[in-house]
Amino acid sequence: MNVVKSILTKTNFSKDDIIRLLKANEDEKQIIFKKAFNIKEKYCKNKVYLRALIEVSNICKKDCFYCGIRKSNPKTVRYEIPIQKIKDLIGFAYANNYSSVVLQSGENAGKGFCKKITEALMYTKQINRQTGITLSCGEQTTDTYQQWFDAGAERYLLRIETSNRELYHKIHPVDTKHCFERRIEALKTIKKIGYQTGTGVMIGLPFQTVEDLAADLLFMQNLDIDMCGMGPYIEHNDTPLYRYHEMLEPVQQRAGQTLLMIALLRIMMKDINIAATTALHTIDKKNITQAIYCGANIIMPNITPLKYRENYFLYKNKHSVNSVDYHLENLKNELNNIDHIIDYQSLGNSIHYLRKLK
Ligand code: SAH
């Protein structure tokens, strides 16, 4: 039997198994994708859940070497969407049948900002207790995580970015604000408080190896995450990591590797939520349906008003699935081609999380 087929019969993959799968050729990839598709159909059905993404603020106290909204990028025009506008956007999401919203921001632990998020959460639950909320606002104190959870947030996404400590410190400044161990601690706190916990990595970073990617998948499995968002690394001219752009694989290849990572994670963690991310969409919008085919089940249409969105510029050419009806109609048709539907009725909570609760 082909070695890939033989590995795929196992219930648990070793690191070497994953490394071999990550080196799959085109034919072998099709076998892996098909397996991931079947698993998703069995555990998550042929459904896609939408999350309306609001990029609340690009004010950030961190200086991650890859990120366009890092504190030391003077070209970034900073904004914080006023609370009333955030409430309007949440109302818009609800009126347009989104059963869930994601509030994402740069890392800002200021009291005013934390209170604003709390107010937005309380407002969401006030207009409709049934709307699901995911936060992606970086590392915060235990008290803040608890306060937001108590105010109604049920999911938190904090990417580890890479599970290789050494690589983590190559792509971040080495100081207490950018500490690998602290990021892991934050993930554990989020989980302990009771959030559906999500993490993820960037794929195709300079210095990253196939061994690192295999370790990333095992890291997520060991942490027993409920949700994942991972995407290709895309260089941004005004960041320190840009100096290595010549050593990167072509973006299409980074996107291809991301699809393979999604498929393998689906095979390893059958009932978690996996997002088809904005970075994948930026490289090619066809990647969104391709990611759904490979095992993803979440799409995050961006409803941030354009005047803010153009300043949430994490990487080159960033653009996302749009909230405009035309795009959603297109998306519906594309999903229909792979026999998938958008489920507007359900919150799309992580089945993995719900199963653990029982
Ligand atoms: N401040 C929040 C959200 C950060 S932005 C936090 O710390 O979690 C969301 C994600 O965008 C990051 O976690 C990172 O993985 C991704 N990102 C940032 N710069 C990127 C780049 N150049 N290419 C691809 N993804 C990037």
Side-chain angles (χ1 to χ4, degrees):
M1 200 190 334
N2 169 295
V3 55
V4 162
K5 279 191 184 158
S6 141
I7 296 174
L8 290 176
T9 59
K10 299 187 184 180
T11 34
N12 265 312
F13 298 151
S14 68
K15 189 169 174 189
D16 283 343
D17 289 336
I18 301 173
I19 291 171
R20 175 61 186 85
L21 295 173
L22 283 169
K23 291 179 176 167
N25 64 30
E26 283 311 312
D27 289 346
E28 291 168 339
K29 274 188 193 170
Q30 294 314 315
I31 300 172
I32 297 171
F33 291 166
K34 186 83 191 117
K35 169 117 185 170
F37 182 87
N38 290 341
I39 288 178
K40 195 187 59 177
E41 233 182 0
K42 178 166 172 202
Y43 289 85
C44 307
K45 309 277 182 284
N46 57 345
K47 289 178 177 172
V48 170
Y49 301 100
L50 299 184
R51 315 284 190 230
L53 172 64
I54 307 174
E55 292 161 336
V56 176
S57 165
N58 66 357
I59 296 172
C60 193
K61 65 174 191 314
K62 287 225 179 153
D63 250 332
C64 309
F65 292 152
Y66 45 85
C67 182
I69 65 167
R70 64 198 298 270
K71 176 175 174 247
S72 303
N73 182 3
K75 292 192 187 161
T76 299
V77 178
R78 304 290 163 175
Y79 72 84
E80 203 177 287
I81 305 183
I83 183 67
Q84 189 50 49
K85 185 71 198 165
I86 298 175
K87 288 181 180 175
D88 292 347
L89 289 167
I90 292 167
F92 170 88
Y94 178 50
N96 284 275
N97 296 324
Y98 288 95
S99 53
S100 268
V101 291
V102 178
L103 304 181
Q104 194 182 74
S105 69
E107 210 165 287
N108 180 351
K111 274 208 180 91
F113 179 76
C114 295
K115 263 177 77 179
K116 183 186 248 186
I117 295 292
T118 305
E119 194 176 336
L121 293 166
M122 287 166 65
Y123 176 76
T124 311
K125 293 293 161 178
Q126 194 186 320
I127 57 169
N128 176 22
R129 291 211 64 79
Q130 290 308 318
T131 303
I133 314 168
T134 309
L135 293 178
S136 175
C137 302
E139 287 165 55
Q140 301 287 344
T141 62
T142 305
D143 283 352
T144 300
Y145 285 141
Q146 186 68 53
Q147 192 186 112
W148 289 346
F149 184 77
D150 294 341
E154 50 275 280
R155 315 175 185 136
Y156 206 102
L157 183 64
L158 184 79
R159 289 187 180 180
I160 189 66
E161 315 295 0
T162 170
S163 65
N164 177 337
R165 185 179 187 283
E166 213 176 297
L167 179 57
Y168 189 92
H169 287 301
K170 271 195 182 131
I171 63 171
H172 297 96
V174 182
D175 61 24
T176 48
K177 253 193 287 175
H178 304 80
C179 173
F180 180 71
E181 281 74 22
R182 268 185 52 179
R183 198 129 180 120
I184 295 203
E185 272 316 302
L187 274 166
K188 289 186 177 156
T189 304
I190 289 165
K191 204 168 168 211
K192 197 161 148 208
I193 288 175
Y195 284 98
Q196 295 175 46
T197 304
T199 193
V201 294
M202 283 177 288
I203 293 152
L205 287 162
F207 311 108
Q208 193 177 42
T209 63
V210 182
E211 286 74 13
D212 291 332
L213 294 176
D216 288 341
L217 291 173
L218 288 168
F219 171 86
M220 293 190 253
Q221 190 177 43
N222 289 336
L223 192 66
D224 197 24
I225 57 167
D226 308 300
M227 330 182 291
C228 175
M230 55 187 164
Y233 163 66
I234 303 175
E235 60 276 28
H236 183 306
N237 302 38
D238 302 315
T239 59
L241 212 61
Y242 188 74
R243 81 173 79 119
Y244 302 111
H245 72 276
E246 278 174 2
M247 67 192 273
L248 301 172
E249 303 279 4
V251 277
Q252 299 294 352
Q253 216 157 306
R254 284 176 251 162
Q257 195 74 343
T258 302
L259 295 174
L260 189 53
M261 287 283 283
I262 290 177
L264 294 179
L265 187 64
R266 173 59 68 203
I267 297 169
M268 291 167 69
M269 303 195 74
K270 301 182 168 28
D271 52 3
I272 64 168
N273 280 343
I274 304 179
T277 53
T278 305
L280 265 176
H281 184 271
T282 296
I283 291 175
D284 187 340
K285 62 181 191 326
K286 287 198 203 86
N287 281 332
I288 294 296
T289 30
Q290 190 60 33
I292 299 297
Y293 178 76
C294 293
N297 64 334
I298 304 287
I299 296 178
M300 292 162 41
N302 197 333
I303 65 164
T304 313
L306 270 185
K307 72 165 178 173
Y308 301 113
R309 200 193 301 186
E310 63 193 15
N311 292 316
Y312 201 83
F313 196 53
L314 303 174
Y315 41 79
K316 227 163 58 174
N317 306 326
K318 172 176 167 281
H319 48 79
S320 23
V321 173
N322 217 308
S323 58
V324 180
D325 287 349
Y326 168 78
H327 290 271
L328 279 188
E329 198 52 38
N330 269 4
L331 182 68
K332 189 177 132 195
N333 293 335
E334 284 165 25
L335 291 172
N336 195 25
N337 289 338
I338 54 165
D339 196 24
H340 272 66
I341 54 158
I342 298 173
D343 185 341
Y344 286 99
Q345 305 307 321
S346 149
L347 288 180
N349 280 315
S350 162
I351 298 172
H352 187 74
Y353 176 87
L354 297 177
R355 186 166 57 80
K356 281 189 291 183
L357 277 189
K358 278 186 195 158

